[in-house]
Amino acid sequence: MNQGKAHDGIQRTDSWNQELANFVTYAKLSKILAGREMEEFAQCSVKIDVDSKKPFCYFLRITKLPEDPEPDEYRFPISKEMNPRCEYIGEGSSEKALITWDLEQNISMGLTFSNSPTDDFLEADRFRYLLCMLIYETVQRKSSRYAASKEEFLCYCREGKRKYVPKPVPAEEKKEERKIIDSKEYINKPDQSSKPAQIAPVTTEKKQEVKLMSKQDKENTPPLEAKEPTKPENTTKFTLTQLKSLAEQLRQDKTYIFAAPVIVFLVDIDNSVKERREGQILSIRLTESFTAVFALHDPSSLAAHYTRTIDVTISFGYEDTTICFQWLDASGPEAQLFAAKFEDISILNDFKFFFWRCRLEAMHQAAFEECLPKEEVEWASRSAREEHNPKDTKTLIEEEFKEAREIDYEEDIPALSHPSTRGDENRGVVQARLIDRTFVPKKSEIEIYKTSEASPNTLEFLMNLPAVKSFDGKSISAKKILMREQDHRMLFLNENNEEKVYYVDPERGKVISEIKSDGFNTFADVGVFDKNDEFTPNPVFLAINERNLFQIDPRQPGEAKAVKSKIYSTKNEFSTIVGVHNGACAVASRTGVIRLYKEIGQNSKNVYSSTGDVITALDASKDGKWLVATCGDHLLLIPTFVEDANGYMKNLGKEKPLARFLKLLPCDIKRYGLTQVSFTAAHFNDGPNTKEAFIVSSTGNLLVTWEMKLVFEGASRPYHLKQMAEKIVAPEFRYTPYNQSSNDLLVTLPNELRVQKTRII
């Protein structure tokens, strides 16, 4: 397929470029308020705008048609936060498709597409497809693998609506069909030479055993709803053996990669059961375009009476103690919480693997085998199945957390706020270690606080650091700050100029050095040379761009000050770096890969590839035994050691410990009214002579603190939650050399800085 560049400079297929430029559809715009109250506007045209200056930046341009008495135009940025969803309202000729997306808390926008015998929601499906593909591009920062056949499939193959007959694909564009993979294949049979079975072409031709849901089926099979429990119309009882046989029947269709009997519950936020339905079958089915759905089937007909696409927007979780998979469905008027209970933990682990695999394929729009490095498939698959060795886990808990204590929140201390002279909002918090100072950076200035003389548990405002300017007189807007040389210097990463980092004297508020790596590379992130760097006069620091790694010494003459580098021939999409000890470091990428290095200039000792999500932040423990990676809607906690072997110094091979996934339970997402989960940078607790035992992060206005011991013990809720009045910008543990036992938190809000008191139980 021919390739070409659009006017925003992104390489795409010609058909994809043409689709973006020419796309237009028509629908009614509506504003959806809390309680489903709807404010409708007139018929509008819908187009896609591509930002010519910023790559992977798109907008929905919705314009009222000229006949409207008050023509107007709206532009909505396309992003993951939109969380688009589709529902069908009405029946027959009056049936409509409503595609909604989130605008802000409790407010959504919607486009209503009418139906006709010749259309059958083709335009609604086409719009939904384009929106999902563009969201993928904004998240992954790379062009979608667009093909005309994929769009054609989505437009012509909505289950139960229309028949799909694929057009012949030219030989040069044919791709290998997706493989049916057993969840244990990469673990137990890594050297198996025989190829797995291939997926049969997807058709809507009904079989005697398996059939798609028709409108008559839908009417006869009542959906699970938030209402008083009712008895199913079909009172036939199926034994477990019969249900297993029916699940096996489903798997005869090669598009079904998983099917198992479950008991389904509709539950409340306190896990009380609203409705219970036994004798159900839960399946995962592959479709085209690297998408998959999971579904619930009525055993009497094997018709799917509930389906949900597996993608990055779904909120889900597992409870191993109750052998349950939980998910939140926000597609209806009210979010509903479901749970599916499996027969035993091994079946749940199989489901975890297939669900993870399908989510990975949907995220990367690629076959499973192409999403991860070949040597990492086994480790990632075992992590997804959470196949932790109980003996190893028990030993780890006894050795690493035998003195660990529990943490809980107390009342927070009154907020500290100082009005910005420029009206800027807070961007984060930076704590000095040796000097009693706390810095709160804004876009154009930095607020400075110190410990209150009246109360050592509180802070008081000291002064504003004026706008820091570069040598050419331009203001520096710091997107990251590191304290250096015993807190007498600061390192600024400037969001307006990625070609340099700036060495600043905080006492004078002046730039004393402008640093380049080697004259042609930019900076994506910077990190310390050692976790205890602030206590030493050592000015050396580490840096990355999307492709390469650098060790930089500001004392070198000239602007280019890299003394060591690791240059890669391919673009790794590096996103963040954290230094650990004496130049050893961990580097993460936007593709979800983490590499451990003994020092800059050498090859990585160990590589971790797990969810494939963009990693936005890393933090490491002082002893180098733990890594926590921030990945959007979850965190990854990774042990980087085996007994006395350190993953930065030695390749751990097959002994490499598995990662732990830290997520919010769907019931908590519903309880606190979160429309999405997007974690801020996670941090370990910190302090002199303090052993890491807790992790803090936030999403929206929710403060989240995990207890590491509970994580490894397998607790269903290993975290504590506290809701704040505003969205949290950045939380971290307070470093208090005057009170070494403190585990209080600094919580940065848009216009305030709070000290959140904690108590140790």
Side-chain angles (χ1 to χ4, degrees):
M1 192 172 290
N2 294 330
Q3 299 283 329
K5 283 191 177 182
H7 66 273
D8 60 346
I10 305 302
Q11 192 83 15
R12 303 189 183 93
T13 62
D14 291 338
S15 55
W16 192 207
N17 280 329
Q18 186 177 3
E19 183 69 19
L20 286 177
N22 299 337
F23 177 82
V24 61
T25 189
Y26 301 92
K28 283 190 176 181
L29 182 68
S30 57
K31 187 176 183 180
I32 305 171
L33 308 176
R36 300 295 293 178
E37 178 185 350
M38 299 179 66
E39 179 183 350
E40 289 196 1
F41 300 95
Q43 189 83 353
C44 301
S45 66
V46 183
K47 297 183 179 181
I48 305 292
D49 281 352
V50 181
D51 193 319
S52 59
K53 297 182 179 179
K54 297 181 180 179
F56 307 109
C57 185
Y58 310 103
F59 297 87
L60 284 182
R61 176 156 52 94
I62 301 178
T63 309
K64 291 184 180 179
L65 296 182
E67 55 264 24
D68 190 275
E70 297 180 3
D72 207 347
E73 185 171 279
Y74 307 89
R75 291 181 89 230
F76 302 99
I78 296 176
S79 67
K80 179 182 175 182
E81 287 72 24
M82 295 178 76
N83 186 25
R85 52 227 179 248
C86 181
E87 58 183 302
Y88 298 92
I89 305 169
E91 295 181 355
S93 59
S94 61
E95 187 178 10
K96 297 179 180 180
L98 174 62
I99 296 178
T100 56
W101 66 91
D102 296 328
L103 188 61
E104 55 185 84
Q105 190 170 9
N106 296 327
I107 300 179
S108 302
M109 301 301 293
L111 286 172
T112 303
F113 294 80
S114 298
N115 188 19
S116 69
T118 57
D119 180 86
D120 199 15
F121 296 120
L122 184 147
E123 285 299 306
D125 286 344
R126 181 168 172 249
F127 171 72
R128 182 163 53 113
Y129 169 78
L130 286 172
L131 195 58
C132 290
M133 295 300 278
L134 292 177
I135 289 175
Y136 166 83
E137 288 195 359
T138 62
V139 172
Q140 296 296 322
R141 309 290 293 174
K142 61 184 179 182
S143 182
S144 307
R145 300 187 177 202
Y146 175 88
S149 60
K150 295 179 185 177
E151 183 197 11
E152 189 176 348
F153 173 85
L154 194 103
C155 293
Y156 289 95
C157 186
R158 187 158 64 83
E159 289 186 1
K161 284 290 181 181
R162 57 173 80 96
K163 191 172 182 180
Y164 171 65
V165 180
K167 291 182 179 179
V169 181
E172 64 272 11
E173 294 182 14
K174 286 186 178 179
K175 293 186 177 180
E176 183 181 355
E177 291 179 312
R178 298 167 70 188
K179 297 178 180 178
I180 301 297
I181 300 174
D182 183 84
S183 66
K184 301 176 183 177
E185 177 183 343
Y186 289 102
I187 301 167
N188 300 329
K189 301 178 182 179
D191 299 324
Q192 186 176 359
S193 59
S194 59
K195 294 184 178 179
Q198 299 294 310
I199 293 176
V202 179
T203 70
T204 58
E205 180 181 351
K206 296 184 180 180
K207 300 182 180 180
Q208 185 176 358
E209 304 90 345
V210 183
K211 64 178 183 178
L212 299 174
M213 186 178 179
S214 66
K215 287 195 173 181
Q216 186 177 1
D217 292 329
K218 188 174 180 180
E219 292 169 358
N220 294 334
T221 307
L224 290 168
E225 297 177 339
K227 61 182 181 181
E228 292 297 321
T230 57
K231 294 183 179 180
E233 292 181 12
N234 191 333
T235 58
T236 304
K237 296 290 185 180
F238 290 85
T239 66
L240 182 59
T241 302
Q242 289 174 322
L243 291 171
K244 288 182 177 179
S245 177
L246 291 170
E248 182 61 33
Q249 256 182 256
L250 275 176
R251 291 195 295 269
Q252 296 305 310
D253 182 337
K254 295 301 183 181
T255 61
Y256 285 90
I257 59 175
F258 177 88
V262 293
I263 303 173
V264 181
F265 303 91
L266 178 64
V267 297
D268 211 338
I269 55 177
D270 60 357
N271 279 336
S272 61
V273 177
K274 290 184 174 182
E275 184 178 345
R276 173 189 176 108
R277 182 173 295 176
E278 297 190 23
Q280 298 291 295
I281 296 176
L282 178 63
S283 71
I284 297 179
R285 175 173 168 264
L286 301 177
T287 63
E288 291 287 346
S289 246
F290 303 109
T291 59
V293 298
F294 70 93
L296 294 172
H297 300 260
D298 177 25
S300 61
S301 64
L302 285 186
H305 61 83
Y306 176 94
T307 59
R308 178 70 193 272
T309 302
I310 300 175
D311 56 25
V312 294
T313 65
I314 187 171
S315 299
F316 68 96
Y318 304 103
E319 289 193 25
D320 288 355
T321 53
T322 56
I323 323 176
C324 280
F325 163 63
Q326 281 192 356
W327 73 97
L328 191 65
D329 191 331
S331 61
E334 180 184 352
Q336 293 182 318
L337 183 62
F338 296 97
K341 181 178 177 63
F342 293 87
E343 179 188 1
D344 59 52
I345 191 65
S346 64
I347 300 176
L348 174 60
N349 285 342
D350 284 343
F351 178 83
K352 290 177 184 178
F353 170 82
F354 287 118
F355 191 90
W356 163 77
R357 170 204 160 176
C358 293
R359 187 176 181 272
L360 196 67
E361 289 188 338
M363 185 186 309
H364 290 279
Q365 284 293 287
F368 174 69
E369 298 81 3
E370 301 174 12
C371 296
L372 298 173
K374 184 178 180 180
E375 61 274 12
E376 289 303 303
V377 170
E378 179 182 346
W379 179 86
S381 301
R382 291 177 58 218
S383 291
R385 288 173 52 85
E386 299 183 343
E387 291 187 336
H388 308 295
N389 187 313
K391 183 179 179 180
D392 293 344
T393 301
K394 182 179 179 181
T395 302
L396 185 146
I397 293 172
E398 291 175 350
E399 294 181 355
E400 298 296 326
F401 303 109
K402 58 183 177 181
E403 298 179 0
R405 296 166 291 174
E406 297 181 9
I407 191 171
D408 202 359
Y409 301 121
E410 292 184 341
E411 292 299 318
D412 54 326
I413 295 173
L416 304 165
S417 61
H418 186 78
S420 170
T421 58
R422 304 174 188 272
D424 297 336
E425 292 187 346
N426 298 333
R427 291 188 165 190
V429 63
V430 181
Q431 300 180 75
R433 295 297 193 264
L434 295 177
I435 301 175
D436 176 24
R437 294 293 182 269
T438 299
F439 303 88
V440 179
K442 299 175 181 282
K443 183 176 181 179
S444 304
E445 59 189 9
I446 299 175
E447 292 178 354
I448 305 177
Y449 294 84
K450 69 173 186 176
T451 302
S452 171
E453 296 180 0
S455 172
N457 290 325
T458 61
L459 298 174
E460 63 182 33
F461 176 76
L462 183 63
M463 62 177 291
N464 271 330
L465 187 68
V468 178
K469 296 186 177 181
S470 60
F471 287 162
D472 58 5
K474 296 181 179 179
S475 295
I476 297 174
S477 182
K479 69 177 182 180
K480 185 169 185 178
I481 297 176
L482 292 181
M483 303 303 299
R484 312 297 301 143
E485 297 187 42
Q486 298 173 318
D487 295 335
H488 292 295
R489 295 289 183 266
M490 302 173 82
L491 193 67
F492 279 36
L493 193 61
N494 185 9
E495 70 174 10
N496 298 324
N497 185 354
E498 295 183 347
E499 295 181 357
K500 300 178 180 179
V501 291
Y502 300 85
Y503 223 51
V504 177
D505 182 346
E507 296 178 2
R508 295 187 296 154
K510 301 287 187 182
V511 172
I512 58 176
S513 177
E514 295 185 354
I515 301 170
K516 289 186 176 182
S517 58
D518 54 9
F520 63 90
N521 277 291
T522 59
F523 293 96
D525 193 22
V526 291
V528 296
F529 183 76
D530 192 289
K531 286 288 286 187
N532 294 316
D533 255 1
E534 288 101 332
F535 300 102
T536 73
N538 180 23
V540 176
F541 64 94
L542 310 178
I544 59 170
N545 60 21
E546 290 189 337
R547 187 191 299 260
N548 306 316
L549 290 73
F550 308 97
Q551 180 175 308
I552 296 176
D553 189 343
R555 297 168 296 192
Q556 294 295 310
E559 282 190 323
K561 300 179 185 293
V563 293
K564 290 184 180 180
S565 60
K566 175 63 177 176
I567 307 299
Y568 286 93
S569 59
T570 57
K571 192 174 181 180
N572 294 299
E573 299 188 57
F574 291 142
S575 58
T576 183
I577 184 172
V578 60
V580 180
H581 177 67
N582 199 29
C585 63
V587 180
S589 72
R590 299 183 64 86
T591 59
V593 178
I594 300 174
R595 294 174 171 87
L596 305 188
Y597 295 87
K598 180 180 179 181
E599 62 178 270
I600 301 297
Q602 296 186 3
N603 291 331
S604 59
K605 294 294 183 181
N606 288 280
V607 178
Y608 299 83
S609 300
S610 186
T611 63
D613 294 80
V614 175
I615 298 176
T616 57
L618 282 177
D619 193 21
S621 60
K622 293 187 293 293
D623 58 9
K625 287 187 173 182
W626 308 100
L627 263 181
V628 60
T630 307
C631 311
D633 65 353
H634 67 279
L635 309 180
L636 279 179
L637 177 58
I638 304 175
T640 55
F641 68 100
V642 175
E643 296 180 349
D644 296 331
N646 188 304
Y648 296 91
M649 305 298 167
K650 177 183 177 181
N651 185 287
L652 302 180
K654 293 185 177 181
E655 295 182 354
K656 190 165 56 177
L658 303 182
R660 258 67 174 187
F661 293 81
L662 309 187
K663 294 174 64 70
L664 293 185
L665 291 174
C667 57
D668 288 326
I669 295 174
K670 181 180 179 181
R671 176 183 290 112
Y672 291 97
L674 301 177
T675 56
Q676 65 164 349
V677 175
S678 181
F679 285 119
T680 57
H683 297 281
F684 292 106
N685 57 310
D686 196 8
N689 303 317
T690 298
K691 189 174 179 64
E692 289 81 355
F694 309 112
I695 298 170
V696 67
S697 183
S698 66
T699 176
N701 64 349
L702 206 59
L703 183 65
V704 191
T705 306
W706 281 269
E707 295 182 21
M708 292 172 62
K709 183 179 180 181
L710 294 182
V711 171
F712 286 95
E713 286 178 343
S716 59
R717 185 182 276 103
Y719 54 79
H720 300 273
L721 302 173
K722 178 159 185 178
Q723 196 166 28
M724 311 294 282
E726 295 182 87
K727 180 179 179 180
I728 299 172
V729 177
E732 63 179 60
F733 284 92
R734 187 181 178 196
Y735 189 92
T736 51
Y738 308 106
N739 182 5
Q740 297 187 11
S741 63
S742 172
N743 280 296
D744 292 344
L745 297 163
L746 286 181
V747 183
T748 310
L749 304 177
N751 298 292
E752 296 176 351
L753 177 64
R754 288 183 177 269
V755 177
Q756 172 62 55
K757 293 289 294 177
T758 63
R759 65 176 180 270
I760 302 297
I761 305 171

